[in-house]
Amino acid sequence: MPLVIRPVSPDLPAARALLDASHALMAALFPPDENAVLDATALAEPDVTFYGAEESGALLGCVALKRHPEFAEVKSLFVAPEARGIGLGARLLAHVEAEAAREGLPLVRLETGDKLMAASALYRRAGYRARGPFGSYRANASSVFFEKALTAPATAAQSRERP
């Protein structure tokens, strides 16, 4: 069965297991006041869509798209250890970028930790540029902030108009 990325409830046991693993990693690496994780309740808010990457019945990764009036925010991007190294993080990131573009949001922003080198490398490869804190975030010793401008997907009419 091929890998499918689709909205899932953050309350599903498999989703909770991924979130618990992600939160445990963040707690081990960063001070509590420098952790910006969202719990399952926050990930179920109306302005957030939580996606799971599922293959053969196993949830291998997750990501959330949080909508703000002027931009989208990537939250909770996490890939299970057994699924790392196959490009799943890039696929999850591309998925939320495409959704944000479809919704007409011009930018995607995110916060990550300075010790998450693989995550920062993924974001840079995907075209993200470093920026300062945004929204309610404040500068601290651990946080790194990124942003990427999106291009809206062409509509069918626009596609027909191109030479």
Side-chain angles (χ1 to χ4, degrees), residues 103-120:
E103 294 179 18
L105 293 163
L107 297 169
V108 178
R109 293 179 175 157
L110 62 91
E111 179 272 345
T112 191
D114 62 345
K115 294 180 177 104
L116 300 172
M117 302 301 197
S120 290

Side-chain angles (χ1 to χ4, degrees), residues 4 17 24 32 35 44-45 51 58 63 70 72 78 84 86 90 97 99 113-114 116 127-128 135 142:
V4 176
N35 259 318
E45 289 292 321
Y51 297 94
V63 67
E70 305 285 323
F78 185 77
R84 292 184 185 154
I86 61 169
E97 288 173 359
E99 185 59 32
D114 62 345
L116 300 172
Y128 285 76
S142 303

Side-chain angles (χ1 to χ4, degrees), residues 7 13-14 22 28 38 43 62-63 66 72 84 98 111 113 118 148 150-151 161-162:
S22 174
L38 296 181
L43 291 168
C62 61
V63 67
K66 181 173 175 57
R84 292 184 185 154
E111 179 272 345
K148 180 179 180 179
L150 299 176
T151 43
E161 292 171 9
R162 292 192 181 136

Side-chain angles (χ1 to χ4, degrees), residues 128-152:
Y128 285 76
R129 301 286 177 247
R131 60 154 295 133
F134 61 91
S136 62
Y137 292 105
R138 298 294 166 246
N140 62 54
S142 303
S143 291
V144 181
F145 302 93
F146 288 98
E147 176 178 275
K148 180 179 180 179
L150 299 176
T151 43

